[in-house]
Amino acid sequence: MTETTKQISENDQLRADIYQLLAALLRREPTQELLQFLANLEVDANEDNDMTRAWLALKLAAAQFKPEQLQDEYFNLFIGVGAGEILPYGSWFMTGSLMDKPLALLRQDLMQLGFERQEDVKEPEDHVAALFEVMSVLILEAPSHQQLGFYRRHIGSWIVRFFDTLSRCQSAAFYAVVAQLGRAFFETEIAEFERLVLSTPVVDTSDVQIQPKASEMA
């Protein structure tokens, strides 16, 4: 990225953190350390809204489940024998096929933004966790029009449907709660991006190069 330092608001830092949390939960089953972190979250229960209810549900679920239980749940949901109950890829939710045109367009945009695929990563770049990791970086390091353009092209048209589908999967117990948080968060993101539409020009190509951390690209 350029040497210009971006001023990060408290709201943007929170958004980036939630993208990273959702990415961690969707990349693999949570570790004991992550479950402990979630179980110890401080949530203002006096705020009566979907996000607060989702945080409280996740806090409770994290205290009830063990990593070995979630290993089985994650496998059944996202991996399976042949395939899991849900395919966590943007191309699938946009076209009904894997490795389709949306993935090719995504790869072009990632290259323009300066993201590089790690050699040891086998998942396609349109895995939902990878997309969330990219969004976190864009929020913290890129101009507003880039996060808006990336969201519109690669996430916005299908992400609520993804979480709705996840919440209805037969194996989803803990991950039904993750879906609740994801759905509530993206309802707030819809409002955030509506605000950005009014305040920033939409540019789909990159004029700023971002150098992601090694762990932030699938």
Side-chain angles (χ1 to χ4, degrees):
M1 189 172 172
T2 61
E3 295 299 321
T4 303
T5 301
K6 180 180 178 180
Q7 297 298 316
I8 307 300
S9 68
E10 182 177 350
N11 179 61
D12 279 351
Q13 183 64 62
L14 177 60
R15 291 173 60 223
D17 289 346
I18 295 174
Y19 273 109
Q20 283 287 356
L21 174 61
L22 289 171
L25 291 168
L26 293 165
R27 172 72 68 193
R28 59 185 61 87
E29 69 275 3
T31 62
Q32 182 60 54
E33 290 75 18
L34 181 52
L35 290 174
Q36 190 66 44
F37 168 78
L38 294 173
N40 291 330
L41 283 174
E42 295 184 5
V43 181
D44 186 358
N46 293 321
E47 294 187 11
D48 185 21
N49 55 53
D50 289 342
M51 278 295 290
T52 297
R53 287 188 286 272
W55 282 122
L56 289 171
L58 186 61
K59 176 183 172 76
L60 180 61
Q64 294 177 330
F65 284 87
K66 298 183 183 300
E68 51 268 26
Q69 293 174 289
L70 297 182
Q71 185 175 13
D72 290 340
E73 182 176 336
Y74 186 91
F75 178 86
N76 291 332
L77 284 169
F78 300 109
I79 302 173
V81 178
E85 293 181 44
I86 183 171
L87 295 174
Y89 304 102
S91 290
W92 177 261
F93 275 87
M94 283 189 273
T95 69
S97 300
L98 298 175
M99 310 293 287
D100 210 333
K101 183 178 179 180
L103 179 58
L105 294 175
L106 172 63
R107 286 172 172 167
Q108 292 176 10
D109 284 355
L110 291 173
M111 184 178 299
Q112 290 176 343
L113 289 166
F115 289 90
E116 295 182 1
R117 181 183 175 87
Q118 296 180 51
E119 293 183 0
D120 60 340
V121 173
K122 298 181 176 60
E123 293 283 3
E125 294 89 336
D126 63 340
H127 190 287
V128 63
L131 295 173
F132 288 176
E133 288 166 354
V134 172
M135 278 299 302
S136 179
V137 175
L138 294 178
I139 290 168
L140 296 178
E141 300 186 20
S144 295
H145 72 262
Q146 289 188 333
Q147 59 169 293
L148 176 58
F150 190 86
Y151 173 84
R152 281 181 150 187
R153 284 166 65 88
H154 305 297
I155 299 175
S157 66
W158 59 273
I159 194 61
V160 171
R161 184 157 42 94
F162 166 79
F163 283 116
D164 283 345
T165 303
L166 177 58
S167 71
R168 296 193 300 268
C169 286
Q170 183 176 355
S171 298
F174 176 83
Y175 276 92
V177 182
V178 174
Q180 180 183 352
L181 177 66
R183 176 63 189 265
F185 174 61
F186 277 98
E187 289 296 335
T188 68
E189 282 292 271
I190 289 170
E192 179 69 23
F193 286 116
E194 287 176 350
R195 183 189 65 78
L196 285 178
V197 166
L198 297 177
S199 61
T200 61
V202 179
V203 180
D204 288 329
T205 57
S206 173
D207 59 4
V208 176
Q209 294 297 304
I210 299 171
Q211 299 301 323
K213 302 179 181 64
S215 63
E216 289 174 333
M217 185 63 230

